[in-house]
Amino acid sequence: MVYRLRFLNDIKTGSTFGCSLLLSLMLAMFSFNSAAHQQKEAYTTVLFNDRSGNIEVSHRFYIHDTEHALSHLFNGKADIISDQNTQQKFAGYIQEKFRLLNQDKQLLELGSVGYEVEGKFFWVYQEIPQPSGLQALYIQMQALQDVWPAQINQVNVERNGKTKAVRINKDDDWLKLPVNF
């Protein structure tokens, strides 16, 4: 209690110690908030659906991040919530930035299934029939890394009730993940 009163008195009287301490605390809080806000992440699930025989891909992005990124990507304000044109442009952008190769490094041509706004997320969906004999995937996910170099894209691969994950940053090109689990 005595230290708190002394600290407050130092600030009132303009004491160097009290003002320096207050300024240091404020700068630390500002730096922490600013760094925390810059932490951008998106999540993709690659699901081997044995019922449909397809590999189903779903990409999830926060609406707030999406709208902020769209202003950089498409030079201007964007309304991802209600503008179909903006939604379509962003879905197309995601489909260009996410690619899969098989173990022989042959491109797996994912088809577009659609996109939607759901709560605080924007979802993009893709799929492809499961290739026979698939042992590994090479994964590339560069979405939003051209806007935010610190962007991390996590890709979860689900097969036979098991999940393996890779976290992809801007410096990663293709990450190999065995899928025979």
Side-chain angles (χ1 to χ4, degrees):
M1 178 76 166
V2 172
Y3 291 113
R4 188 169 73 197
L5 290 175
R6 181 174 173 227
F7 172 71
L8 292 174
N9 190 43
D10 285 351
I11 292 172
K12 276 186 192 175
T13 61
S15 162
T16 307
F17 172 75
C19 290
S20 295
L21 184 59
L22 180 62
L23 182 60
S24 296
L25 288 172
M26 289 173 56
L27 285 172
M29 286 175 40
F30 177 74
S31 297
F32 179 75
N33 283 341
S34 159
H37 188 67
Q38 292 297 321
Q39 189 76 10
K40 305 290 185 189
E41 290 195 353
Y43 298 90
T44 295
T45 300
V46 177
L47 173 66
F48 284 77
N49 186 334
D50 290 331
R51 272 194 332 225
S52 69
N54 288 334
I55 296 174
E56 301 170 352
V57 180
S58 57
H59 308 279
R60 185 188 83 175
F61 296 87
Y62 285 99
I63 293 285
H64 176 1
D65 292 347
T66 303
E67 288 195 327
H68 187 169
L70 284 167
S71 66
H72 294 284
L73 292 169
F74 305 125
N75 299 323
K77 278 199 145 185
D79 179 6
I80 195 76
I81 294 172
S82 58
D83 182 13
Q84 281 287 333
N85 187 42
T86 301
Q87 293 173 1
Q88 186 176 20
K89 283 171 74 173
F90 187 70
Y93 164 81
I94 297 307
Q95 292 166 8
E96 290 174 11
K97 296 294 184 176
F98 178 78
R99 297 187 299 167
L100 296 174
L101 304 176
N102 67 12
Q103 65 270 5
D104 300 321
K105 296 189 176 181
Q106 295 173 325
L107 183 64
L108 300 178
E109 297 280 349
L110 293 164
S112 176
V113 177
Y115 48 85
E116 70 177 328
V117 173
E118 182 184 54
K120 61 183 177 180
F121 300 111
F122 184 76
W123 293 85
V124 178
Y125 305 105
Q126 298 176 280
E127 70 179 1
I128 187 173
Q130 289 184 34
S132 61
L134 187 63
Q135 299 294 310
L137 287 173
Y138 286 88
I139 303 168
Q140 185 180 64
M141 177 53 154
Q142 299 172 329
L144 302 182
Q145 292 174 342
D146 45 354
V147 177
W148 299 299
Q151 171 79 19
I152 301 292
N153 295 316
Q154 179 163 321
V155 179
N156 299 317
V157 177
E158 298 178 14
R159 188 174 200 181
N160 298 325
K162 297 177 184 171
T163 303
K164 290 188 179 183
V166 293
R167 293 177 59 80
I168 302 171
N169 66 47
K170 185 169 178 57
D171 296 328
D172 294 323
D173 190 20
W174 292 93
L175 295 182
K176 183 179 180 182
L177 186 66
V179 295
N180 52 349
F181 53 92

